[in-house]
Amino acid sequence: MDATALWQRYQNWLYFHEGLGLYLDVSRMGFDEAFVESLRPKFDKAFADMAELEKGAIANPDEDRMVGHYWLRNPDLAPTPEVTQEIVQTLEQIEAFAEQVHTGSVHPTKASRFTDVISIGIGGSALGPEFVAEALSPDFPPLNIHFIDNTDPAGIDRILTQLQDKLSSTLVLVISKSGGTPEPRNGMIEVKAAFASKKLDFAKQAVAITSLGSNLDKIAQTEGWLARFPMYDWVGGRTSELSAVGLVPAALQGIDVRAMIDGAKEMDDATRVPDVKNNPAALLALAWYFSGNGKGEKDMVVLPYKDSLLLFSRYLQQLVMESLGKEKDLDGNTVYQGIAVYGNKGSTDQHAYVQQLREGVPNFFATFIEVLEDREGKSLEIEPGVTSGDFLSGFLLGTRQALYENQRDSITVTIPQVNPKTVGALIALYERAVGLYASLVNINAYHQPGVEAGKKAAAAILDLQSKVVAVLQKEKTALSLEEVAQKAGAAEEVEAIYKILRHLQANQRGVVFTGDLGKPASLKVSVG
């Protein structure tokens, strides 16, 4: 396409939201008007599906629950007055609690102020808060935040070691819908133990963010924790950033949570428009569908050209991949849907994988995130008339052009600056795009059977470990791996048993191997 035609196409497909100052450019995706027209019936259904969702339709039949994260930013849309009131009151309570912490009216027993906060969570209870902290936390926040988002002992130790002299002034958030998810439960137990070792009262510095009546909620009530905030059954983890899950840690860091909510609300209004060309989420869904032939045949490479947006691609990995990665469609057909997401940031990627993007396997489409404002205040000129920000902009525009020249599709999302309002808008934009795309390909974006299967498999391994240890403790002589498996009633699980025992042996858990470690079949195992 010649330059004149390309400029005209850019203007034809450019979306601009005046209130948010947000632009969306899908002109470098190769679809034509006929393709858009062919999808019109699917989009009509998708818009109708989304309207029903917001009215309270059961969207997750596996758990018999509604999906209402949209109500968090516009409580008047909630299906009952009780839900509306709960959303409003919870936000007020979050703001009041953060203010009390900041002023010192709520403070730890052995310090006049809280200085730090540990946020313990997994998946959506970690990725959203981490993204927002990286994007929006001030240079000198009222509380410095630290995340325990895994059950990795070394990772937990690193946080606790860094905070050892500050534990007495550290607030702990435990975020878990059920209270039984292993990763946050384990993190809570580890942090509790660290507090006990310092003779600190954990309960007086702990906050629970959980479902009413959950195991965690009961613990918090029984032990008299400092505060409790609700998680709703109608908000999934990957869409929970604008619930207490994300708002409590954000407010504690001094981030304007009302502005985040306002930005999301404005974007929600824009993405309800039942017209593809005038709906930015529909334009994203259209571009994704075109690039991957409605089957996820190409990966989504997310390239934010701003350091503060480094974690946006990681956040989108869960939102997109957990929502769209489904084996079955709504009719029970095996379809293996999904869009793989990866990314780092520009211009770091100029020196990393852009070489492959331009000349390697054409199995992707790129999403550039552009931020117009370089910094607060004027910039130094690195060369006559050229600033560091000009270089960054040049790298983005140049990479976009280089990809287009080699027939590589790209989308560009442009925001005026990284602030609470625009971050809230980005979150809402991609939440809606995921929902619309799911309808286009006839899958359920709001359940995650694969995640549940993984949890069950992990529980089975831990159960097997208990059986194996019991066998070895009972035996007086060393056994082969096959003998251990037979006696544990798990003859088909020799490999899993070997890996369990290898892990226990490496961590001085009493397991002793004799034989050639490179030849597992030769090993004899006992407990010392």
Side-chain angles (χ1 to χ4, degrees):
M1 188 178 294
D2 65 36
T4 301
L6 199 57
W7 168 234
Q8 188 58 52
R9 178 175 172 81
Y10 173 80
Q11 294 178 79
N12 289 345
W13 285 100
L14 180 65
Y15 173 86
F16 176 60
H17 190 292
E18 186 173 4
L20 294 166
L22 179 144
Y23 299 81
L24 174 62
D25 165 30
V26 295
S27 66
R28 274 14 178 214
M29 305 296 286
F31 59 81
D32 57 20
E33 294 283 355
F35 177 80
V36 178
E37 189 61 34
S38 73
L39 283 184
R40 196 168 301 282
K42 286 182 180 290
F43 268 110
D44 289 343
K45 181 179 183 300
F47 293 135
D49 288 346
M50 199 59 64
E52 289 303 308
L53 184 81
E54 290 195 329
K55 291 176 185 175
I58 297 297
N60 189 337
D62 294 353
E63 302 172 30
D64 191 33
R65 66 175 175 86
M66 302 178 289
V67 173
H69 49 274
Y70 301 104
W71 311 331
L72 295 168
R73 40 265 198 169
N74 190 346
D76 291 338
L77 294 177
T80 69
E82 291 77 17
V83 173
T84 298
Q85 185 177 21
E86 188 174 18
I87 295 168
V88 171
Q89 289 180 344
T90 298
L91 178 56
E92 292 172 349
Q93 290 162 2
I94 289 168
E95 291 178 317
F97 178 73
E99 176 69 16
Q100 290 166 341
V101 169
H102 293 160
T103 60
S105 61
V106 169
H107 60 86
T109 307
K110 297 185 178 181
S112 61
R113 294 280 179 97
F114 283 108
T115 60
D116 293 79
V117 56
I118 297 175
S119 183
I120 304 173
I122 191 73
S125 297
L127 291 168
E130 287 172 356
F131 160 54
V132 167
E134 182 78 16
L136 297 176
S137 187
D139 294 335
F140 301 100
L143 280 82
N144 294 303
I145 195 161
H146 315 266
F147 293 95
I148 293 177
D149 62 357
N150 200 359
T151 187
D152 174 11
I156 295 170
D157 286 348
R158 182 180 179 87
I159 298 296
L160 294 175
T161 299
Q162 290 171 346
L163 283 171
Q164 58 182 337
D165 297 328
K166 290 185 174 181
L167 277 186
S168 62
S169 61
T170 295
L171 186 67
V172 181
L173 310 179
V174 183
I175 310 174
S176 175
K177 183 174 279 189
S178 68
T181 304
E183 294 93 340
R185 181 204 62 198
N186 297 356
M188 178 186 74
I189 292 170
E190 293 257 11
V191 173
K192 264 189 172 183
F195 270 68
S197 72
K198 298 278 188 181
K199 295 183 170 51
L200 297 170
D201 188 344
F202 176 82
K204 301 301 181 189
Q205 296 177 220
V207 175
I209 303 173
T210 187
S211 297
L212 185 67
S214 72
N215 291 338
L216 177 57
D217 192 45
K218 291 172 184 173
I219 290 169
Q221 287 187 75
T222 301
E223 296 181 357
W225 286 21
L226 192 58
R228 293 156 43 231
F229 295 99
M231 292 176 75
Y232 309 117
D233 68 350
W234 39 265
V235 177
R238 55 192 174 278
T239 56
S240 65
E241 175 54 29
L242 297 177
S243 72
V245 167
L247 298 182
V248 173
L252 289 170
Q253 292 169 84
I255 295 168
D256 186 347
V257 296
R258 292 269 178 180
M260 285 177 62
I261 292 168
D262 289 346
K265 182 178 183 295
E266 277 198 60
M267 182 55 72
D268 286 342
D269 291 341
T271 56
R272 286 190 190 100
V273 175
D275 173 24
V276 174
K277 247 186 170 176
N278 293 300
N279 180 326
L283 287 170
L284 283 180
L286 168 71
W288 299 353
Y289 192 99
F290 168 78
S291 188
N293 293 320
K295 299 175 182 176
E297 292 174 359
K298 291 190 177 181
D299 302 340
M300 182 190 305
V301 181
V302 181
L303 302 173
Y305 277 66
K306 207 67 175 175
D307 287 355
S308 61
L309 297 179
L310 169 65
L311 296 182
F312 190 47
S313 60
R314 190 164 174 246
Y315 167 77
L316 287 180
Q317 279 180 336
Q318 184 191 20
L319 177 63
V320 175
M321 295 175 74
E322 191 171 348
S323 298
L324 302 182
K326 302 295 160 63
E327 179 180 354
K328 304 285 188 181
D329 69 10
L330 293 173
D331 299 319
N333 301 310
T334 299
V335 290
Y336 298 120
Q337 278 287 354
I339 300 176
V341 178
Y342 61 94
N344 187 15
K345 67 178 180 182
S347 65
T348 302
D349 289 307
Q350 311 299 135
H351 308 277
Y353 53 72
V354 165
Q355 167 65 31
Q356 177 167 317
L357 296 186
R358 187 170 191 273
E359 297 185 7
V361 184
N363 63 343
F364 71 93
F365 63 94
T367 300
F368 296 101
I369 310 293
E370 178 184 28
V371 181
L372 293 177
E373 182 183 271
D374 291 337
R375 58 156 51 107
E376 290 184 19
K378 293 191 68 173
S379 283
L380 175 75
E381 290 190 357
I382 302 300
E383 299 173 3
V386 180
T387 67
S388 297
D390 295 339
F391 271 98
L392 189 65
S393 179
F395 283 135
L396 187 158
L397 296 176
T399 302
R400 174 176 174 270
Q401 179 62 22
L403 292 182
Y404 177 75
E405 288 171 355
N406 264 23
Q407 293 81 51
R408 311 298 164 99
D409 288 338
S410 71
I411 299 164
T412 303
V413 179
T414 303
I415 56 175
Q417 59 182 199
V418 179
N419 60 41
K421 191 171 184 179
T422 56
V423 167
L426 284 175
I427 288 170
L429 172 63
Y430 277 86
E431 285 177 350
R432 183 83 66 168
V434 162
L436 291 172
Y437 180 88
S439 182
L440 294 182
V441 299
N442 196 38
I443 60 169
N444 186 344
Y446 304 105
H447 70 156
Q448 49 282 337
V451 175
E452 300 308 317
K455 290 178 182 178
K456 290 175 183 176
I461 290 290
L462 292 174
D463 182 59
L464 179 59
Q465 176 175 309
S466 297
K467 292 176 181 176
V468 167
V469 170
V471 166
L472 292 173
Q473 289 173 338
K474 184 178 178 181
E475 293 295 321
K476 303 299 182 187
T477 58
L479 302 174
S480 70
L481 293 171
E482 287 78 7
E483 288 170 332
V484 174
Q486 290 286 351
K487 291 178 180 291
E492 304 297 318
E493 300 290 341
V494 179
E495 182 178 325
I497 289 170
Y498 163 64
K499 292 186 173 182
I500 288 168
L501 291 172
R502 186 176 63 179
H503 174 255
L504 294 176
Q505 189 267 341
N507 286 280
Q508 297 84 50
R509 303 276 290 280
V511 171
V512 178
F513 283 132
T514 55
D516 185 343
L517 292 174
K519 297 178 179 177
S522 75
L523 296 174
K524 294 283 187 176
V525 61
S526 60
V527 292

